[in-house]
Amino acid sequence: MTAEQPAETSWQQILSTLASHRLRGLYAALVLGQRPEMTAKERQKLLASGLVRDDGGALAVAPDVFKAALAAARTPEPTGPERFLAGGLVVLPHRAADRLELLGYLRDSVIAAGETMAEKELNARLAEFTTDVPMLRRAMVDYGFLIREPDGSAYRRGPANG
């Protein structure tokens, strides 16, 4: 790799380069094994895009440039309890360990230690994670992650499970 070649090519750089009719034509000629005439500026733009590399003074099509750009743009899959929240929580995880991990994560996300809040405020915070707020609130109470006042007026963080 030369100093002219980027370490990582983004899909934006590739599309920006290919948006130019002239550069697209030069790249196509290189893909077809031709050695088209080009200016130093055009050469630099092709190199900077990552579409080609300097192969001893001659330009060569960079292998797997599109695959690498797509891989770099990929959003990593969530791990931990966040994996159950991608797209919004619909049902609780079936495995008990996953369920407890998720409920603990949600408790830590919606209510601070020592904090007490009304049901309306709790519902608003839980709504950031699910459309089935009553299901989630009930599960958090049932598993001891939240403590509900007997009259239903307020909730606080529970000591159970962490």
Side-chain angles (χ1 to χ4, degrees):
M1 188 177 302
T2 67
E4 298 178 89
Q5 180 136 0
E8 186 176 299
T9 301
S10 73
W11 63 268
Q12 294 98 332
Q13 289 172 308
I14 292 170
L15 286 178
S16 175
T17 301
L18 294 176
S20 162
H21 178 72
R22 172 71 179 153
L23 293 175
R24 189 170 56 250
L26 292 171
Y27 178 68
L30 290 166
V31 168
L32 294 172
Q34 301 169 2
R35 293 182 173 225
E37 293 288 326
M38 65 182 78
T39 66
K41 188 174 182 178
E42 290 168 335
R43 177 184 171 85
Q44 180 55 39
K45 285 183 178 182
L46 285 171
L47 284 166
S49 74
L51 289 167
V52 298
R53 57 185 169 77
D54 188 329
D55 189 19
L59 293 182
V61 174
D64 299 324
V65 66
F66 297 105
K67 188 178 195 178
L70 287 171
R74 186 174 301 129
T75 303
E77 291 292 322
T79 59
E82 293 92 344
R83 71 187 185 277
F84 299 109
L85 300 172
L89 180 66
V90 178
V91 295
L92 292 174
H94 294 294
R95 285 188 51 225
D98 290 339
R99 191 170 42 251
L100 294 175
E101 180 183 26
L102 175 64
L103 293 173
Y105 172 82
L106 291 169
R107 176 206 51 206
D108 295 346
S109 298
V110 299
I111 190 166
E115 183 178 12
T116 299
M117 69 178 66
E119 185 173 299
K120 185 175 180 179
E121 183 179 358
L122 177 63
N123 288 348
R125 292 183 186 183
L126 292 175
E128 294 178 26
F129 301 99
T130 185
T131 57
D132 193 350
V133 171
M135 173 274 303
L136 185 54
R137 187 184 62 239
R138 173 56 43 208
M140 292 180 77
V141 169
D142 289 349
Y143 284 93
F145 289 95
L146 291 175
I147 296 172
R148 181 177 181 257
E149 292 298 320
D151 65 359
S153 62
Y155 291 81
R156 66 183 189 280
R157 190 178 169 117
N161 303 307

